[in-house]
Every structure is written in C-alpha cells, then in structure tokens.
Amino acid sequence: MDELWRCNPELIFHVYVSGAKQFQKPYDTYKNWSCFIAEDGEFEYRMGNTSGRVRTGDMVLCPPDTAFHRTTSGLSFHFIGFRWEHDRVPPGYLLPDNGRLCIMNNRRLGSTLSLLRETTPLKTEAGLQYKKHLFRDIWQLYAVESSALMQASLISEDPFVQRAVRLLQDHVESGAPLKQVARELGISPVQLTRLFKKEFRMTPVKYIAGLRMARAARLLIHTGLTLADIAERCGYTDEHHLSKTFKSVMGVNPSAYRKDHTV
C-alpha cells in the first residue's frame, strides 16, 4: 500500500463543531473532497450506494459532488474540506468501499485532534499552514498503519500485548485458529479479542487477515511461486481461497496484481 504515501491531502478549510445534537442539514453536497472525523459521539451516514456508522476516532471521506446524508443524536466532530496534491487521488482499491477510515493508534490520533481543535480560532496564514500540517499528519498515520510494514510490526508498550502480536505473526503461515494463540497466552479467545481491540482498535482476526494479505502481495511481486504455493505459505486453504480473498480486498486478482507490480 505504498501508493498511499504518494497521495497527500491539502487542507482547504477546517471547522470544529462541539456537542451538536443533530446536523444542521440532513444531507449536503460539497465541491471539494470532505472529511468528517468524530471526536466524541457517533453518526450514521450514506453516500451513493454505501452507508456506515462513524464512531469516536473514526473518519469518513466523501468525494466531490456526492450527496452526503448523515444523522446523529449527539456529536463533536471536525469537518475538513481538502484536495489532493497534484490531483493524485488514492486508487479506489486502497480505500474502504464505504469511505470510513479507522486509525488504530487512538492515543496519537486523539493528541493530533486536540491540537487541531485548538487551532479553530486561528484565522491567519500561519494558522492555516499549521492545520494543513496536522491534517496531513492524520493521513500519514493512516498510511503508515495501512502499509505492509506496519501491519507486520504493531507495537505496544504492554509486554503481554506485544507477545500476543508476535504469536499471531508466528502463526500466519500455519493458519492456526485464534483459540490456539489464546491458549498459548493463557487466556480465552474473547479476552484476546478485547485486549487487542482496546490496544489497537482492531480485532486479532482482522490483523491476521492483513498479515496474510500483505505476505501474499509481497510473494506475488518478489517471487515466481505459484498461487498454490503462496496460498500454503500464507495460511489460505488453497489457491481458490487466496484468489477470492485477494480480489475482494485488493480489487484485482492475484495474476493481474503480479503483472502490474513487476517489471
């Protein structure tokens, strides 16, 4: 997912709304790209044929000239209008279909959002440049977490959680079930899931899926292994399971991905 690094958002304006009981309008359409980040509370949304729910710490991107329907019963949020530098928009297969982005490092995100909130009164050019810096920091944080490098190296200050991460990494190739990893840790699968979600805002199952997909992508690019061999090395049942999963996540089948990413 290194393509995300080459796509940089440039903030045009920023508005912070605190303690809104509801949105002023049930829907709106914007001429620029827009981003809604929930700092406290949640809201439901719909744009085009997709819909979803944004909770505290989540953000959703809405393309230009797209009707964005939304509803809430209580929300503090950041509303940002932006464009992509050099019109370099991230490929569709690198972004969730419903536009909702989740950042795992909620402490770092919370700190940046706090700084962004404090800039609300600043109307100077210096203030605008600082807001641009903060918004790009949020995007780069998402890009880092989405990259194969970060997917393979989640870091926690808690030694027990870090051990859980290492065990999950060790079991990628074997395709071992979650309960086996939990057993080695001396806890239940439910406890492991809760622990992981609290620390990284994602489930261990989703983390394992990301590790397998990242490894499969690397093997497609850097080796001449067959799909059957790659499936075996990445914990998939067979090459058909790999192909189906790969296309649903990456937007293209493994053969096309290999062709597009090798010289």
Side-chain angles (χ1 to χ4, degrees):
M1 296 191 180
D2 291 341
E3 291 95 328
L4 289 177
W5 283 101
R6 295 193 286 269
C7 306
N8 290 308
E10 182 180 12
L11 180 145
I12 300 173
F13 66 83
H14 163 254
V15 177
Y16 176 69
V17 179
S18 175
K21 300 299 182 182
Q22 61 184 18
F23 287 101
Q24 291 184 346
K25 299 180 181 179
Y27 72 92
D28 212 334
T29 303
Y30 309 99
K31 65 177 182 179
N32 300 300
W33 279 81
S34 56
C35 175
F36 291 82
I37 308 176
E39 187 166 349
D40 185 38
E42 60 182 46
F43 69 93
E44 295 181 350
Y45 68 93
R46 176 172 57 86
M47 51 181 174
N49 296 321
T50 66
S51 61
R53 180 189 296 270
V54 171
R55 297 179 173 85
T56 300
D58 292 343
M59 58 184 181
V60 60
L61 305 183
C62 179
D65 304 316
T66 301
F68 187 77
H69 300 256
R70 58 280 175 104
T71 180
T72 184
S73 57
L75 180 69
S76 294
F77 67 97
H78 298 262
F79 171 43
I80 296 168
F82 70 97
R83 55 177 166 258
W84 296 102
E85 285 187 356
H86 311 300
D87 294 322
R88 189 173 290 163
V89 181
Y93 66 87
L94 290 182
L95 297 176
D97 291 337
N98 63 2
R100 185 175 70 88
L101 309 182
C102 177
I103 291 179
M104 294 176 285
N105 192 336
N106 52 359
R107 295 178 184 174
R108 170 70 179 277
L109 177 63
S111 175
T112 304
L113 289 179
S114 178
L115 292 173
L116 190 58
R117 183 176 65 250
E118 292 173 3
T119 67
T120 302
L122 300 180
K123 305 300 181 183
T124 63
E125 179 62 24
L128 177 60
Q129 294 302 319
Y130 186 47
K131 291 181 181 183
K132 289 182 177 182
H133 165 75
L134 292 173
F135 183 51
R136 180 172 295 183
D137 181 76
I138 292 173
W139 171 255
Q140 290 179 344
L141 179 59
Y142 172 73
V144 167
E145 292 184 346
S146 298
S147 69
L149 176 61
M150 191 60 181
Q151 284 293 320
S153 58
L154 288 180
I155 298 174
S156 171
E157 296 178 358
D158 186 329
F160 186 80
V161 176
Q162 197 61 48
R163 181 177 173 230
V165 170
R166 286 196 300 270
L167 285 174
L168 290 171
Q169 293 170 359
D170 292 342
H171 285 293
V172 168
E173 185 171 330
S174 66
L178 186 64
K179 62 182 179 182
Q180 180 176 328
V181 176
R183 189 183 305 120
E184 292 185 36
L185 290 168
I187 59 177
S188 70
V190 172
Q191 289 174 313
L192 175 56
T193 298
R194 288 175 178 169
L195 187 69
F196 220 78
K197 288 180 69 175
K198 181 179 180 181
E199 188 73 13
F200 301 118
R201 300 189 71 229
M202 70 187 307
T203 66
V205 171
K206 184 175 181 180
Y207 177 60
I208 293 174
L211 288 174
R212 289 174 178 164
M213 187 58 53
R215 176 177 290 188
R218 290 197 298 273
L219 291 175
L220 283 167
I221 295 174
H222 300 296
T223 76
L225 293 172
T226 65
L227 290 185
D229 288 335
I230 292 176
E232 183 178 354
R233 295 186 182 207
C234 297
Y236 293 100
T237 307
D238 52 39
E239 59 186 292
H240 302 293
H241 181 206
L242 168 60
S243 294
K244 183 178 180 180
T245 305
F246 195 93
K247 186 171 183 179
S248 68
V249 174
M250 305 298 285
V252 295
N253 61 48
S255 298
Y257 183 86
R258 170 176 269 169
K259 182 178 179 181
D260 291 341
H261 290 78
T262 54
V263 179

